[in-house]
Amino acid sequence: MRWISTVLSLALAADAVVGSSWFSKAAYNKWHETELERWLSDHDIPYPTPADRKDLENLIQKNWDSYAVSPYKNWDSDKLTAYLQSKGVETKESAKSNKDALVSQVANTWYETEDKAQTAWTNVNDWILDTWTESSLKAFADKHGIPVPQPRTRDTLLQKIRSNYETIAKKAGETAEYPGDWLYDTWSESDLKEWLDTHGFPAPQITDRNKLIALVRRNSRLAYLRMQDQKASASAKANSVYATLTDKIIDAWGESQLKEFCDKNGINVPQGSKTNELRALVRKHRAEILGDNVSASATSAFGAATSKAGNQYAKATNDASLASQDAFNKAVDSWSESRLKAYLDARGVPVPQASKTDELRALVRRNSHKAAHPYSAWTWDDLSYDNLKQYLASSGNAAAKKVGESSSATRDDLVEAAQSAYSSASSAGGNSYASATSYLAQATEAAKKSTFDTWSESELKAYLDSYGVPVPQRSTVNELKAEARKQSTYFKYGTTNPADTTFAKLSENVKGAYQWVMSQLGAGAEVAKKEAGDVKEEL
């Protein structure tokens, strides 16, 4: 019995050592106290002030797993389901109501192991810059006087910045393990908002620069993991397609088939190329895809977009961005003067007196990524009839309350009254303003998934009319709702759409690049597979 007791004691001691060893090696144990406070603040975790280091570490330890290691544990069922679907995992309707089961499924398919996640946070410098655009990297290098040899490729920029990362932080008297705002000194508010939109983290109404930086910093790891996952998918697809393109198939193709393949896969063919030269071009392209260049090519496609001439993957990403801008521009082309002014007003952009409509449109386009104010009179614009009446009844504004109680009040009457009451509360400040913003936060959160669902046909037409958008005859109510959502989205979010789920924005952003890759490779694959079948039949 004494022997068993000794063994149990040793086992418990070993477990304790392992546990304490992990805790003592946690990344945050080496952080400065300001970094500990920064991490807690970024994740909206309250902490006492003043607080000693032990209190801060204990708070982080309690929340570390669910935010830094396994962030999906804080997701709702919709986000969990969306993630599983993005990984090709089928989820039954009955399982969607069981969050624990969904969390377990996500854990089994997550981007990285817990050990890898722990290690990653001890080397933030290795990955935090990977989601930056090439222009952001160049601006950072220039600001800090980092010499980068020509040509200034993305990989060279990353390597040079990483090697100077800690030196720059020390020179600025800043910390580098969980970096502060210094890392984003060269980013404008629009840059920060665009990064969040691009990577699927909606922050449409935040104007406080510190909060935008906190959101970028907090979500940088997840954005990096998604990017790596997309890159791996592209690499796998490319390898799969070109692996079918054997020498025997290439040799069996005639000139027209080789040219078709080159055309569909973006291979430049010099004029007057002979058949054997075409075969050599196809083989060279296949080698580039299947060889060492595939990783770099995929990174260019699914990393931050670059503008390097000749980089076809980056060009595809840029094309997707341009397509989004073009769609926004087309929507703005139909907007009324009052709606254009409202867009600018919601973002605090001054409108010169006597501005012409075309001048207003140009100003709107220049501010397509500018963050909107957290709350403004225009936030009431697309709340439901019932939401508006509820606010007016509880606003404390006698005139507004009277309008809300009127049975003959139209939705436009309610919007006007709500905007007026809000403006009065904003001017008065104090409890009135706090109450108004609190109601807005609750109403917009509750309504974001059902905006326009309860609107009547006449209300939808009136709303679209406020944009100056013509409504085609015989439009169904569902078509009107879809158009209203589209215009509302452009008004609130500019050139990018909100992420209904954590992954919606990422999917949309890489959609152009990914579809380009898939269509190019896929087109080649179809040619290759068809010819492979023909060749096999002939053989």
Side-chain angles (χ1 to χ4, degrees):
M1 292 295 290
R2 182 180 298 175
W3 178 80
I4 293 175
S5 176
T6 302
V7 170
L8 288 172
S9 297
L10 288 170
L12 290 171
D15 286 343
V17 168
V18 171
S20 63
S21 173
W22 177 88
F23 177 69
S24 65
K25 290 181 180 179
Y28 54 81
N29 291 131
K30 295 181 181 179
W31 290 358
H32 188 276
E33 283 186 30
T34 56
E35 291 178 306
L36 298 174
E37 292 177 345
R38 183 180 300 132
W39 189 90
L40 291 167
S41 178
D42 282 359
H43 293 83
D44 300 320
I45 300 170
Y47 58 90
T49 52
D52 60 32
R53 182 180 182 86
K54 184 178 179 181
D55 291 336
L56 295 173
E57 285 189 356
N58 285 340
L59 262 178
I60 292 180
Q61 184 190 17
K62 291 176 183 177
N63 293 279
W64 184 252
D65 181 62
S66 57
Y67 284 104
V69 179
S70 308
Y72 53 84
K73 290 182 179 179
N74 284 322
W75 293 356
D76 60 24
S77 295
D78 287 342
K79 290 181 179 179
L80 292 165
T81 302
Y83 172 83
L84 290 169
Q85 289 173 346
S86 76
K87 303 293 282 186
V89 178
E90 292 291 333
T91 54
K92 296 180 180 179
E93 286 299 320
S94 57
K96 291 179 182 178
S97 61
N98 187 342
K99 184 179 175 181
D100 289 341
L102 291 173
V103 167
S104 179
Q105 281 184 289
V106 170
N108 291 332
T109 59
W110 190 240
Y111 301 118
E112 60 183 352
T113 63
E114 291 188 8
D115 286 344
K116 189 175 180 181
Q118 298 287 1
T119 302
W121 284 104
T122 64
N123 299 287
V124 172
N125 182 22
D126 288 347
W127 51 266
I128 199 167
L129 301 166
D130 281 46
T131 58
W132 286 28
T133 62
E134 188 169 324
S135 60
S136 294
L137 293 169
K138 286 178 179 177
F140 186 88
D142 291 341
K143 176 180 173 61
H144 295 284
I146 301 172
V148 181
Q150 296 291 345
R152 302 174 85 188
T153 64
R154 179 179 177 79
D155 288 342
T156 304
L157 283 163
L158 282 169
Q159 187 271 322
K160 291 295 182 183
I161 293 174
R162 284 193 181 115
S163 62
N164 287 275
Y165 179 82
E166 291 189 12
T167 302
I168 293 168
K170 288 177 181 177
K171 187 176 179 180
E174 298 282 0
T175 56
E177 299 300 326
Y178 190 69
D181 295 2
W182 66 269
L183 189 61
Y184 303 93
D185 274 350
T186 56
W187 289 35
S188 65
E189 287 182 15
S190 292
D191 291 333
L192 294 163
K193 181 175 181 289
E194 185 171 2
W195 186 96
L196 290 165
D197 286 332
T198 296
H199 292 283
F201 308 104
Q205 296 180 325
I206 294 177
T207 55
D208 185 278
R209 177 177 174 81
N210 293 334
K211 289 183 179 178
L212 286 170
I213 289 175
L215 276 171
V216 170
R217 185 169 49 225
R218 167 181 176 170
N219 291 297
S220 285
R221 181 65 186 169
L222 184 52
Y224 167 80
L225 292 172
R226 292 175 181 169
M227 186 190 75
Q228 293 298 305
D229 189 58
Q230 291 289 336
K231 183 186 73 173
S233 296
S235 298
K237 179 68 176 179
N239 277 275
S240 173
V241 169
Y242 277 86
T244 67
L245 193 60
T246 65
D247 285 333
K248 189 171 286 188
I249 292 174
I250 294 172
D251 288 338
W253 280 352
E255 183 178 338
S256 61
Q257 293 161 324
L258 290 164
K259 284 183 176 179
E260 179 187 359
F261 183 88
C262 290
D263 180 58
K264 289 183 177 179
N265 287 277
I267 304 173
N268 291 323
V269 178
Q271 283 189 344
S273 295
K274 297 178 180 178
T275 303
N276 284 337
E277 292 170 334
L278 290 171
R279 289 193 179 109
L281 277 173
V282 172
R283 286 193 173 95
K284 180 183 176 184
H285 194 69
R286 180 187 62 181
E288 288 174 351
I289 292 295
L290 295 179
D292 294 334
N293 289 341
V294 68
S295 179
S297 298
T299 299
S300 297
F302 297 100
T306 71
S307 57
K308 178 183 175 184
N311 186 324
Q312 294 171 328
Y313 289 100
K315 179 180 180 297
T317 307
N318 290 338
D319 287 348
S321 177
L322 289 173
S324 176
Q325 182 72 50
D326 183 58
F328 176 74
N329 290 344
K330 286 179 179 176
V332 170
D333 280 343
S334 67
W335 283 6
S336 62
E337 184 175 321
S338 60
R339 180 58 62 173
L340 293 166
K341 287 180 177 178
Y343 180 94
L344 296 168
D345 179 58
R347 287 154 177 78
V349 178
V351 178
Q353 286 189 342
S355 294
K356 297 179 181 178
T357 304
D358 286 344
E359 293 170 337
L360 291 172
R361 283 201 182 96
L363 199 53
V364 165
R365 287 173 182 138
R366 284 201 297 272
N367 290 277
S368 62
H369 272 100
K370 187 175 178 64
H373 283 308
Y375 302 107
S376 71
W378 298 104
T379 312
W380 306 97
D381 198 34
D382 54 9
L383 291 188
S384 71
Y385 188 88
D386 289 338
N387 284 140
L388 290 164
K389 288 184 78 72
Q390 287 168 17
Y391 168 68
L392 294 174
S394 60
S395 66
N397 184 302
K401 187 175 182 180
K402 186 176 180 180
V403 175
E405 291 173 347
S406 172
S407 59
S408 61
T410 65
R411 190 183 166 281
D412 287 343
D413 295 332
L414 298 181
V415 170
E416 186 178 347
Q419 290 175 335
S420 177
Y422 177 82
S423 296
S424 298
S426 178
S427 300
N431 291 335
S432 297
Y433 182 62
S435 176
T437 53
S438 174
Y439 181 85
L440 266 177
Q442 295 172 20
T444 52
E445 176 64 24
K448 67 182 180 182
K449 286 190 177 180
S450 57
T451 306
F452 304 114
D453 280 357
T454 60
W455 287 35
S456 67
E457 183 176 344
S458 60
E459 288 172 341
L460 290 164
K461 287 181 177 179
Y463 180 80
L464 291 171
D465 185 58
S466 75
Y467 281 88
V469 175
V471 178
Q473 287 187 345
R474 298 180 181 177
S475 295
T476 66
V477 172
N478 284 337
E479 288 171 340
L480 293 175
K481 288 176 182 176
E483 185 63 30
R485 288 192 182 99
K486 184 176 78 173
Q487 298 299 331
S488 173
T489 295
Y490 282 133
F491 183 82
K492 290 181 179 178
Y493 297 84
T495 54
T496 49
N497 291 337
D500 293 329
T501 70
T502 306
F503 295 89
K505 187 65 246 164
L506 174 74
S507 300
E508 183 179 324
N509 177 62
V510 302
K511 187 177 178 181
Y514 189 75
Q515 282 187 343
W516 185 89
V517 174
M518 293 305 104
S519 65
Q520 297 302 302
L521 299 182
E526 290 307 312
V527 175
K529 287 176 182 176
K530 179 179 183 299
E531 295 303 323
D534 293 344
V535 170
K536 284 179 181 176
E537 286 179 10
E538 290 175 7
L539 296 176

